[in-house]
Amino acid sequence: MSGPYVIRGSVSLPEAELMWRFSRSSGPGGQHVNTSDSQVELRFDLAKTEALPPVWKERALDKLAGRLVDGVVSVRASEHRSQWRNRETAAVRLASLLAEASAPPPRPRRATRIPRGINERRLREKKQRGDTKRGRSGRDWG
């Protein structure tokens, strides 16, 4: 592994809480696939972890409710031929998933009124454009 995977700020995935499982992959590798366990399944117990701040943990539990099985989120990777690269991919994928799920909600949009002058100018320009196009027709040339 290439070190701690940062979720956001100083919070990172604790190596001790990651559960790894390896199996044979159906991905690239030819006959090599039949002999090596290169597919990686990474599991992280989100419900029991103490690594995330409580507010982040609640947000992540709410947003990932459909993906959780008994409070555990799992990520699979089998794109690469080597187990090491699949481990890297799975860990990065889990970190980005948790970062996105624990992010604060966006600030609500403040409703604003369009100034009357801008609306009148837009309507005036539309009228001029329509007059220009109407003038292109060959009707009133007589």
Side-chain angles (χ1 to χ4, degrees):
M1 298 296 303
S2 67
Y5 291 95
V6 177
I7 295 173
R8 196 168 51 250
S10 62
V11 179
S12 61
L13 286 173
E15 189 67 39
E17 294 184 23
L18 299 179
M19 297 168 279
W20 299 94
R21 215 174 101 200
F22 307 103
S23 60
R24 295 209 172 113
S25 175
S26 63
Q31 293 177 355
H32 172 76
V33 171
N34 301 329
T35 60
S36 64
D37 292 341
S38 60
Q39 178 173 296
V40 174
E41 182 180 353
L42 175 59
R43 298 167 46 123
F44 180 69
D45 197 342
L46 186 58
K48 294 180 183 173
T49 187
E50 297 296 323
L52 295 177
V55 177
W56 289 17
K57 188 172 164 181
E58 286 301 315
R59 276 191 216 134
L61 285 169
D62 284 344
K63 287 187 183 174
L64 298 175
R67 281 190 73 150
L68 297 178
V69 177
D70 297 329
V72 177
V73 64
S74 68
V75 174
R76 275 193 179 159
S78 63
E79 296 84 42
H80 304 290
R81 187 180 161 127
S82 74
Q83 186 187 96
W84 184 80
R85 286 180 66 192
N86 282 331
R87 285 176 66 124
E88 292 285 316
T89 303
V92 168
R93 200 176 290 166
L94 179 65
S96 66
L97 180 72
L98 290 175
E100 187 178 318
S102 64
R107 292 171 65 185
R109 182 187 177 278
R110 271 187 35 218
T112 57
R113 279 186 62 236
I114 298 173
R116 194 168 70 193
I118 290 177
N119 208 23
E120 287 174 357
R121 184 178 72 204
R122 182 182 63 86
L123 293 173
R124 190 170 51 248
E125 288 172 357
K126 279 180 65 143
K127 186 78 171 157
Q128 286 175 347
R129 183 77 176 144
D131 290 342
T132 302
K133 288 187 172 189
R134 203 172 307 111
R136 290 180 186 155
S137 71
R139 273 192 277 163
D140 297 327
W141 280 18

